[in-house]
Amino acid sequence: MVLDWCYGRLPAFELLVPFSCEDLSSLGSAPASLCQLVAQRYTSLKEILPLMAAAGSRLLFVLHGLERLNLDFRLAGTGLCSDPEKPEAPAAIIVNLLRKYMLPEASILVTTRPSAVGRIPSKYVGRYGEICGFSDTNLQKLYFQLRLNQPDCGTGAGGAGISATLAQRDSLVEMLSRNLEGHHQIAAACFLPSYCWLVCATLHFLHAPTPPGQTLTSIYTSFLRLNFSGETLDSTDPSNLSLMAYTARTMGKLAYEGVSSRKTYFSEDDVRGCLEAGLKAEEEFQLLHVFRRDALRFFLAPCVEPGHRGTFVFTVPAMQEYLAALYIVLGLRKTTLQRVGKEVAELVGRVGEDVSLVLGIVAKLLPLRALPLLFNLLKVVPRVFGRVVGKSREAVAQAMVLEMFREEDYYNDDVLDQMGASILGVEGPRRHPDEPPEDEVFELFPMFMGGLLSAQNRAVLAQLGCPIKTLDALENAQAIKKKLGKLGRQVLPPSELLDHLFFHYEFQNQRFSAEVLSSLRQLNLAGVRMTPVKCTVVAAVLGSGRHALDEVNLASCQLDPAGLHTLMPVFLRARKLGLQLNSLGPEACSVLRDLLLHDQCQITTLRLSNNPLTAAGVAQLVEGLAGNSSLMHLSLLHTGLGDEGLQLLAAQLDRNRQLQELNVAYNGAGDTAALALAQATRDHPSLELLHLYFNELSSEGRQALRDLGGTAKGGARVVVSLTEGTAVSEYWSVILSEVQRNLNSWDRGRVRRHLDLLLRDLEDSRGATLNPWRKAQLLRVEGEVRVLLEQLGGSGT
């Protein structure tokens, strides 16, 4: 409304003056006139203050957040005042404005939480209106279109050239709209505009480049700060308990009980049990009434899914895991032993010094042997309680780590893909389409626990009235580190390994991560769809480590040049790097060239097979090879090099002096290019092996390559077939294993033709030898080839 008035879209009002009741309450009872309050808040309005009285109904006051003020409409409590120039307490000025005693013709708009509506007598109110949410689903879709298509939301930080295209943004909007139509629970959540903001912020995090330092936990913490920052549950209550602290104590308890019992649907009795647990005083029931009226619907919603009518769910599923994590890190979960033990320890601590002093004097005067024993017992009690608390932290850490590494047979996507699926409606793999999951998955719970312990989120939580002491955070982190150190050494599936790294990303503590991940030597994320945020996660967690990674496997990860650029710090730590099956084109080779030329590069093996690099890409790779001193094994299998690519390699190969193995098989090269490359390897000082099989070679070309490899003294061995003369090649298993591994991705007709040629070579060699041992070996390999031909649909004969 204020912006509309500024732009002239609210012509009914000549002057609009908004006040924050939170700001007014912070002034206390210090007297100030209405004109002074306006001038202090809006210095540009000083000149027109005399016009306020003459504006009449064209003057609009907007009083935002009335629940922050304690208003007393009794004459004995607040006297009458009609003079805008007379200093009064801010609450008294507001009461007289609402009484229409001061500036009686002025219009007033008040916003307040439902529980505070009754603070203004109804005779002073002309109209009530409750804003519940989007009454029209088309408004939801319009909001998502505007929010997700903002140009600045798709631009990467750091000038990396990463941006979400218009088509990608439109795709997100379309998928979200379809899910809103078919998934009634998320549609119910998005009835509240605040949750529409949360959905969009989460989608930006998952699908757009992530700003430095932004985590999923920080998004949820910011979401709660936007809604509840600084708000007390009831301003009339002397405890001044923050609304968020009350939420953590009640909704957090319900959320944690759901996580621990693996359920997301709650009955009315479940909700009542958590809300009313331990309530005794009338003031406590009054706070509960305020919470039920103002905030309960924000966190809990009636379930609209078939089969679960009459139950309640958290408005968005991830909020349950966030509040459960908050309940734990705030130390609100206590056993009976802990509660009693704390009271006893505090009591002993208060009187311990005095009693110890008295016992010390008495022990000197009277020879009572029991007194020293009692003296020592007083010292032991606080230590025992400290150990109880420590055991509790270890139990929490154990539960968190077990949840993180819990194997789910039917829902094994990484946690970021699960998050995206819950919003966009893409379901993960399950055991059977008609079989529902046996229980719920709560893999976000440990991630939020780590995120809430980070310094950034602890600072925001303190603003929300939920402080976490630095010492408590440190002790929790130590307990988690201890458990992670034990369970984190096991070899994890790729999706679980990414979840482990995501926990460290949420925690935002490089020293902690470096110590826990010091034993990690192999990074196997094969098959994980590496979106921009996942690349950021891996680079942020592992990019600053010191120890080398023996192998980094990123095969079939849908990587693009931007992802390679983000992951550069990780690649610099790798000795073996696998980037197969990523659809990397020539533009990616410029990043790989920079990687090979980096002075910290220690890669010895680089696998780029099954990527459309083409000759244009290899032209950039040879520049990197020329200046690299670590690479020994390079695989360019099935990269579309053709004759031109092999000719480029042949011309530039002598500029590299360390390469030992080069695989350019299945590249559609002919005899001339293959022979030129083989000739170049003869004089190479270190090259030992050259793979040229499955190229478009004639029988004469294959024989010439065999002869060249056989006559070269000290040169590289050339592998073009399964045979060497009348014997089986020692590399036959390497060739057939490559075929078996790529059987579903290669051109089946082309592979079948090459296998037929290899089978003919085997049959010819078997007919040309009389050695029974060689015949048996050749027959065995023939059988392997026939099996592959049968898998391809050939006859195998």
Side-chain angles (χ1 to χ4, degrees), residues 159-184:
I162 311 171
S163 62
T165 64
L166 180 61
Q168 290 172 329
R169 293 195 290 262
D170 288 343
S171 176
L172 282 180
V173 174
E174 180 62 27
M175 293 176 70
L176 180 56
S177 298
R178 283 202 304 267
N179 197 32
L180 286 171
E181 293 171 0
H183 187 353
H184 300 294

Short mmCIF file of all heavy atoms in Angstrom, two decimals, residues 159-184:
data_model
loop_
_atom_site.label_atom_id
_atom_site.label_comp_id
_atom_site.label_asym_id
_atom_site.label_seq_id
_atom_site.Cartn_x
_atom_site.Cartn_y
_atom_site.Cartn_z
N GLY A 159 30.91 -14.21 -11.68
CA GLY A 159 31.17 -14.04 -13.10
C GLY A 159 31.52 -15.32 -13.81
O GLY A 159 32.23 -15.35 -14.79
N ALA A 160 30.99 -16.45 -13.32
CA ALA A 160 31.33 -17.74 -13.91
C ALA A 160 30.56 -18.00 -15.18
O ALA A 160 30.76 -19.00 -15.84
CB ALA A 160 31.05 -18.87 -12.90
N GLY A 161 29.67 -17.13 -15.54
CA GLY A 161 28.92 -17.31 -16.77
C GLY A 161 27.82 -18.33 -16.65
O GLY A 161 27.40 -18.92 -17.62
N ILE A 162 27.34 -18.57 -15.42
CA ILE A 162 26.29 -19.55 -15.21
C ILE A 162 24.97 -18.82 -15.16
O ILE A 162 24.81 -17.86 -14.43
CB ILE A 162 26.51 -20.31 -13.89
CG1 ILE A 162 27.94 -20.80 -13.79
CG2 ILE A 162 25.54 -21.44 -13.74
CD1 ILE A 162 28.29 -21.37 -12.44
N SER A 163 24.01 -19.27 -15.92
CA SER A 163 22.70 -18.64 -15.86
C SER A 163 21.64 -19.66 -16.24
O SER A 163 21.88 -20.56 -17.03
CB SER A 163 22.63 -17.43 -16.80
OG SER A 163 22.82 -17.84 -18.13
N ALA A 164 20.48 -19.49 -15.63
CA ALA A 164 19.36 -20.34 -15.97
C ALA A 164 18.67 -19.72 -17.19
O ALA A 164 18.31 -18.55 -17.18
CB ALA A 164 18.40 -20.44 -14.79
N THR A 165 18.50 -20.50 -18.24
CA THR A 165 17.88 -19.98 -19.45
C THR A 165 16.39 -19.79 -19.22
O THR A 165 15.80 -20.32 -18.27
CB THR A 165 18.11 -20.94 -20.61
OG1 THR A 165 17.43 -22.20 -20.32
CG2 THR A 165 19.60 -21.22 -20.80
N LEU A 166 15.78 -19.02 -20.13
CA LEU A 166 14.35 -18.79 -20.03
C LEU A 166 13.59 -20.10 -20.14
O LEU A 166 12.59 -20.32 -19.43
CB LEU A 166 13.91 -17.82 -21.14
CG LEU A 166 12.42 -17.46 -21.18
CD1 LEU A 166 12.02 -16.77 -19.87
CD2 LEU A 166 12.12 -16.56 -22.38
N ALA A 167 14.08 -21.00 -20.99
CA ALA A 167 13.41 -22.30 -21.15
C ALA A 167 13.47 -23.11 -19.86
O ALA A 167 12.50 -23.77 -19.48
CB ALA A 167 14.06 -23.09 -22.29
N GLN A 168 14.61 -23.05 -19.15
CA GLN A 168 14.73 -23.77 -17.88
C GLN A 168 13.78 -23.21 -16.84
O GLN A 168 13.15 -23.95 -16.08
CB GLN A 168 16.18 -23.70 -17.38
CG GLN A 168 17.15 -24.52 -18.21
CD GLN A 168 18.60 -24.27 -17.81
OE1 GLN A 168 18.95 -23.17 -17.37
NE2 GLN A 168 19.44 -25.28 -17.96
N ARG A 169 13.69 -21.87 -16.78
CA ARG A 169 12.78 -21.26 -15.81
C ARG A 169 11.32 -21.59 -16.14
O ARG A 169 10.52 -21.87 -15.25
CB ARG A 169 13.01 -19.76 -15.75
CG ARG A 169 14.37 -19.37 -15.19
CD ARG A 169 14.40 -17.90 -14.81
NE ARG A 169 14.37 -17.02 -15.96
CZ ARG A 169 15.46 -16.46 -16.51
NH1 ARG A 169 16.65 -16.72 -16.00
NH2 ARG A 169 15.36 -15.66 -17.54
N ASP A 170 10.98 -21.55 -17.42
CA ASP A 170 9.61 -21.90 -17.82
C ASP A 170 9.31 -23.35 -17.48
O ASP A 170 8.18 -23.69 -17.09
CB ASP A 170 9.42 -21.67 -19.33
CG ASP A 170 9.36 -20.19 -19.67
OD1 ASP A 170 9.14 -19.37 -18.75
OD2 ASP A 170 9.55 -19.84 -20.85
N SER A 171 10.31 -24.21 -17.63
CA SER A 171 10.12 -25.62 -17.29
C SER A 171 9.85 -25.80 -15.80
O SER A 171 8.98 -26.59 -15.41
CB SER A 171 11.37 -26.43 -17.69
OG SER A 171 11.23 -27.78 -17.31
N LEU A 172 10.57 -25.07 -14.96
CA LEU A 172 10.33 -25.14 -13.52
C LEU A 172 8.90 -24.70 -13.19
O LEU A 172 8.21 -25.34 -12.39
CB LEU A 172 11.32 -24.26 -12.77
CG LEU A 172 12.73 -24.78 -12.57
CD1 LEU A 172 13.57 -23.76 -11.82
CD2 LEU A 172 12.73 -26.09 -11.82
N VAL A 173 8.47 -23.59 -13.79
CA VAL A 173 7.12 -23.08 -13.53
C VAL A 173 6.08 -24.10 -13.97
O VAL A 173 5.09 -24.36 -13.26
CB VAL A 173 6.90 -21.73 -14.25
CG1 VAL A 173 5.45 -21.28 -14.12
CG2 VAL A 173 7.83 -20.67 -13.69
N GLU A 174 6.30 -24.72 -15.13
CA GLU A 174 5.34 -25.70 -15.65
C GLU A 174 5.26 -26.93 -14.75
O GLU A 174 4.17 -27.41 -14.42
CB GLU A 174 5.74 -26.10 -17.07
CG GLU A 174 4.82 -27.12 -17.72
CD GLU A 174 3.40 -26.62 -17.89
OE1 GLU A 174 3.21 -25.40 -18.01
OE2 GLU A 174 2.48 -27.46 -17.92
N MET A 175 6.42 -27.45 -14.33
CA MET A 175 6.43 -28.62 -13.46
C MET A 175 5.78 -28.31 -12.12
O MET A 175 5.02 -29.11 -11.57
CB MET A 175 7.87 -29.11 -13.25
CG MET A 175 8.52 -29.66 -14.49
SD MET A 175 10.25 -30.13 -14.22
CE MET A 175 10.06 -31.56 -13.16
N LEU A 176 6.05 -27.13 -11.59
CA LEU A 176 5.46 -26.75 -10.31
C LEU A 176 3.95 -26.59 -10.44
O LEU A 176 3.19 -27.02 -9.56
CB LEU A 176 6.10 -25.45 -9.82
CG LEU A 176 5.60 -24.89 -8.49
CD1 LEU A 176 5.75 -25.91 -7.37
CD2 LEU A 176 6.36 -23.61 -8.14
N SER A 177 3.50 -26.00 -11.53
CA SER A 177 2.06 -25.81 -11.74
C SER A 177 1.34 -27.14 -11.83
O SER A 177 0.26 -27.33 -11.25
CB SER A 177 1.81 -24.99 -13.01
OG SER A 177 2.37 -23.70 -12.91
N ARG A 178 1.95 -28.11 -12.54
CA ARG A 178 1.33 -29.43 -12.66
C ARG A 178 1.24 -30.11 -11.28
O ARG A 178 0.24 -30.76 -10.96
CB ARG A 178 2.13 -30.32 -13.62
CG ARG A 178 1.90 -29.99 -15.08
CD ARG A 178 2.24 -31.18 -15.96
NE ARG A 178 3.61 -31.64 -15.74
CZ ARG A 178 4.66 -31.24 -16.45
NH1 ARG A 178 4.49 -30.36 -17.43
NH2 ARG A 178 5.86 -31.71 -16.20
N ASN A 179 2.27 -29.95 -10.48
CA ASN A 179 2.25 -30.58 -9.16
C ASN A 179 1.24 -29.90 -8.25
O ASN A 179 0.61 -30.56 -7.41
CB ASN A 179 3.65 -30.52 -8.52
CG ASN A 179 3.79 -31.50 -7.38
OD1 ASN A 179 3.18 -32.57 -7.39
ND2 ASN A 179 4.57 -31.14 -6.37
N LEU A 180 1.06 -28.59 -8.39
CA LEU A 180 0.06 -27.90 -7.58
C LEU A 180 -1.34 -28.38 -7.93
O LEU A 180 -2.22 -28.46 -7.06
CB LEU A 180 0.15 -26.39 -7.81
CG LEU A 180 1.35 -25.67 -7.17
CD1 LEU A 180 1.42 -24.23 -7.66
CD2 LEU A 180 1.25 -25.70 -5.65
N GLU A 181 -1.54 -28.74 -9.20
CA GLU A 181 -2.86 -29.22 -9.61
C GLU A 181 -3.13 -30.65 -9.13
O GLU A 181 -4.25 -31.00 -8.78
CB GLU A 181 -2.98 -29.16 -11.13
CG GLU A 181 -2.97 -27.74 -11.68
CD GLU A 181 -2.86 -27.71 -13.19
OE1 GLU A 181 -2.79 -28.80 -13.80
OE2 GLU A 181 -2.83 -26.61 -13.78
N GLY A 182 -2.06 -31.48 -9.09
CA GLY A 182 -2.27 -32.88 -8.74
C GLY A 182 -1.95 -33.24 -7.31
O GLY A 182 -2.42 -34.23 -6.78
N HIS A 183 -1.12 -32.45 -6.64
CA HIS A 183 -0.69 -32.75 -5.27
C HIS A 183 -1.37 -31.74 -4.35
O HIS A 183 -0.92 -30.62 -4.18
CB HIS A 183 0.84 -32.63 -5.18
CG HIS A 183 1.41 -33.06 -3.87
ND1 HIS A 183 0.63 -33.38 -2.79
CD2 HIS A 183 2.69 -33.22 -3.46
CE1 HIS A 183 1.40 -33.73 -1.77
NE2 HIS A 183 2.66 -33.63 -2.17
N HIS A 184 -2.47 -32.18 -3.73
CA HIS A 184 -3.30 -31.24 -2.98
C HIS A 184 -2.61 -30.70 -1.74
O HIS A 184 -2.90 -29.60 -1.29
CB HIS A 184 -4.62 -31.92 -2.61
CG HIS A 184 -5.40 -32.38 -3.80
ND1 HIS A 184 -5.94 -31.51 -4.71
CD2 HIS A 184 -5.72 -33.62 -4.24
CE1 HIS A 184 -6.58 -32.18 -5.65
NE2 HIS A 184 -6.46 -33.46 -5.39
#
